[in-house]
Amino acid sequence: MRKPIKKTWMLASVLTIGIAVLTPLQAGAEEVKTTDNSSITVQLEQKITGKIKDIYGDGMNLKGNDGKNYFISFYKFSAEQLEKMNLVEGQEISVEGSVVEDYSDFFTFDVYKKELPKEVTKEDLTKLEKMFNEIKKLQKEVSAELEKKATDEEIDKKYEEMNKIYEEMDKITKPYILANWQPQSFEEYIKDFGFGEKNIVINENDNTQLKATYEEWVKLEKSGDEENANKKNDEFYKILQPYLDKLYPPETFEEFMEGVDLDIPAESLAKLKPIYENAQKAEKEENVELSEKLWNEFNEIISPFIKPVTFEDYMSKFEFEISDTDKKQLKSLYEEAVALDKKEDFEKSQEKWDAFYKILDPYFEANKETLISASKVTINGQEYLAE
């Protein structure tokens, strides 16, 4: 039974900036001659020392002492090892690992099967590995088609194929997972919501119903009856919803506007408040069409007060240096594109953005991160080897 995630509305950005595309890396590859005069390419382990820039759950950005940027994946390490490492931004660290071409290459079958129950048979592991590799192949094909600007229909077809394979994998793994599953008690599950921290008390009748529904859901999940388990899940949250509303009360208009750093006149604020409140009401009633209409109205009123990021602020996000000649051209194109976006002349603005990125893309390419799948980490004199 999954706990719901609180939804929050984000203010739509008026200015859309493109994304640089990563291309396959050749670093770290070496050609090896074989006895039959053919050749294969193998990835050699590399050692990088540098300072941690940013830390993520499964990796980190590293500024190497060689001046290059790296993304280090910790997929091969356990959560316990990462906890012991106690990584901190600015810390110096040494990493050994192999270069990969794409972020998806970090998630290998060996990484995937570590999360599976130990009882999975060799026969089933063989089937799973074959399907896993089929998905990886389809992912590569999707990336290639996106690069070629394939149609949505072609890409959707690939995703449908992937979903079918995921479903087949789930049929194999689910019985093992359910056999090993130790569900929380109802009391533990409810406690995790944090109702007690906000002094929210569930009345006795609701608590009794919730407990019975939860325990029925556990039995249905254990038996593999997913359809009826989902119905029980819905019943459970229908009873719990009023308490969740108290736990996560909707943000008032005034609270929302506190986080919006815009100079909006009182007249416009007076128009925005009822639209905001009605949009929230439509959301709660699951009236998607009305909710979207109202949020669009809200954004139309607020958008004239949103100031686009200046060229200097936008460029300050990049660590690399740009030549004075290119900088001058980029500034002109950026300001023209922003002005055209403001007038909603998107056809002409796109031409300017294309020209902008034609100049900027080589800088992204020259400064892109090398992707390293770590197998050994040394920090504070302590060595950690991938499990």
Side-chain angles (χ1 to χ4, degrees):
M1 185 171 282
R2 295 178 180 272
K3 292 186 172 70
I5 298 170
K6 184 185 177 188
K7 292 181 181 178
T8 56
W9 274 93
M10 302 292 288
L11 191 62
S13 172
V14 174
L15 183 63
T16 303
I17 303 297
I19 299 170
V21 178
L22 294 170
T23 53
L25 299 167
Q26 298 303 319
E30 180 172 300
E31 191 174 71
V32 179
K33 296 292 180 183
T34 60
T35 53
D36 62 355
N37 295 322
S38 64
S39 64
I40 58 173
T41 300
V42 296
Q43 292 290 351
L44 300 179
E45 290 277 304
Q46 292 199 0
K47 183 172 181 178
I48 302 102
T49 301
K51 287 187 177 177
I52 300 171
K53 287 166 61 182
D54 304 292
I55 301 164
Y56 305 95
D58 57 359
M60 67 179 181
N61 287 322
L62 186 76
K63 185 70 174 181
N65 291 345
D66 57 6
K68 295 179 182 177
N69 296 311
Y70 297 89
F71 179 82
I72 312 296
S73 164
F74 295 129
Y75 262 134
K76 294 176 184 174
F77 292 83
S78 67
E80 291 77 16
Q81 285 177 303
L82 289 173
E83 191 176 344
K84 286 178 184 175
M85 287 182 202
N86 191 27
L87 302 171
V88 177
E89 288 178 20
Q91 219 171 14
E92 186 155 295
I93 187 171
S94 288
V95 175
E96 290 181 34
S98 54
V99 175
V100 301
E101 293 183 353
D102 189 82
Y103 287 94
S104 65
D105 293 331
F106 291 135
F107 191 61
T108 63
F109 183 71
D110 284 337
V111 172
Y112 166 77
K113 74 178 183 182
K114 279 202 303 184
E115 302 301 318
L116 294 176
K118 292 175 183 176
E119 292 79 8
V120 179
T121 64
K122 286 184 179 179
E123 183 184 354
D124 280 341
L125 281 174
T126 302
K127 291 177 189 174
L128 288 167
E129 184 168 15
K130 185 181 176 184
M131 287 187 274
F132 183 92
N133 290 334
E134 284 174 20
I135 287 173
K136 299 292 276 187
K137 180 173 174 285
L138 286 165
Q139 285 175 334
K140 295 277 186 187
E141 288 174 10
V142 167
S143 295
E145 290 192 357
L146 286 169
E147 193 77 24
K148 290 188 298 182
K149 296 185 178 176
T151 64
D152 289 344
E153 190 179 345
E154 290 170 311
I155 292 165
D156 287 346
K157 193 175 177 182
K158 295 288 182 189
Y159 281 124
E160 283 173 20
E161 287 180 58
M162 279 192 266
N163 284 333
K164 284 178 186 175
I165 299 169
Y166 278 125
E167 286 170 9
E168 289 304 309
M169 291 175 77
D170 189 53
K171 285 177 187 175
I172 295 172
T173 59
K174 191 164 185 179
Y176 293 106
I177 292 165
L178 288 175
N180 281 271
W181 179 41
Q182 296 296 324
Q184 289 177 290
S185 68
F186 168 73
E187 289 73 19
E188 289 170 330
Y189 186 76
I190 284 292
K191 187 180 178 182
D192 283 349
F193 280 96
F195 291 121
E197 295 164 22
K198 296 284 183 75
N199 296 317
I200 298 167
V201 179
I202 299 174
N203 75 46
E204 193 175 340
N205 286 343
D206 285 342
N207 199 65
T208 302
Q209 271 189 285
L210 285 166
K211 183 172 182 177
T213 307
Y214 179 82
E215 288 171 353
E216 285 174 46
W217 171 81
V218 168
K219 287 177 188 174
L220 290 164
E221 278 287 352
K222 275 277 190 185
S223 70
D225 188 350
E226 196 166 332
E227 186 179 344
N228 284 312
N230 287 338
K231 288 178 183 176
K232 283 294 166 191
N233 185 70
D234 291 342
E235 283 178 34
F236 183 91
Y237 280 105
K238 190 174 180 181
I239 301 165
L240 196 64
Q241 193 58 53
Y243 301 99
L244 290 172
D245 290 341
K246 289 180 185 177
L247 187 64
Y248 301 116
E251 196 173 31
T252 66
F253 174 71
E254 289 73 20
E255 288 169 339
F256 177 82
M257 293 309 295
E258 276 177 20
V260 178
D261 187 20
L262 297 174
D263 188 16
I264 302 173
E267 186 183 346
S268 296
L269 287 171
K271 290 178 185 175
L272 286 167
K273 184 172 181 175
I275 296 172
Y276 178 88
E277 290 171 348
N278 288 330
Q280 282 202 321
K281 185 171 180 287
E283 264 194 316
K284 189 172 182 180
E285 293 169 356
E286 297 184 0
N287 188 336
V288 177
E289 190 177 339
L290 178 58
S291 170
E292 285 181 0
K293 179 178 175 290
L294 290 166
W295 284 117
N296 285 334
E297 284 179 27
F298 187 90
N299 283 328
E300 278 174 22
I301 294 171
I302 209 169
S303 63
F305 305 103
I306 299 173
K307 294 177 183 177
V309 176
T310 66
F311 173 74
E312 287 73 21
D313 283 345
Y314 177 67
M315 297 307 293
S316 69
K317 306 293 186 294
F318 307 121
E319 294 181 359
F320 48 80
E321 290 294 321
I322 294 171
S323 74
D324 290 340
T325 304
D326 284 344
K327 195 179 285 185
K328 189 176 179 181
Q329 279 185 281
L330 286 167
K331 182 178 172 73
S332 174
L333 287 165
Y334 183 91
E335 289 173 352
E336 287 175 48
V338 168
L340 288 163
D341 277 338
K342 188 98 173 160
K343 291 177 185 175
E344 298 188 4
D345 191 346
F346 299 119
E347 190 175 338
K348 285 184 181 176
S349 76
Q350 188 58 54
E351 290 174 10
K352 297 296 178 183
W353 285 123
D354 289 344
F356 178 85
Y357 283 107
K358 191 174 181 181
I359 297 169
L360 197 57
D361 281 346
Y363 289 97
F364 285 128
E365 181 67 21
N367 291 275
K368 68 186 177 185
E369 296 173 327
T370 300
L371 309 181
I372 303 287
S373 180
S375 55
K376 180 181 175 181
V377 172
T378 306
I379 188 164
N380 296 327
Q382 179 71 45
E383 291 183 353
Y384 299 89
L385 296 172
E387 294 184 344

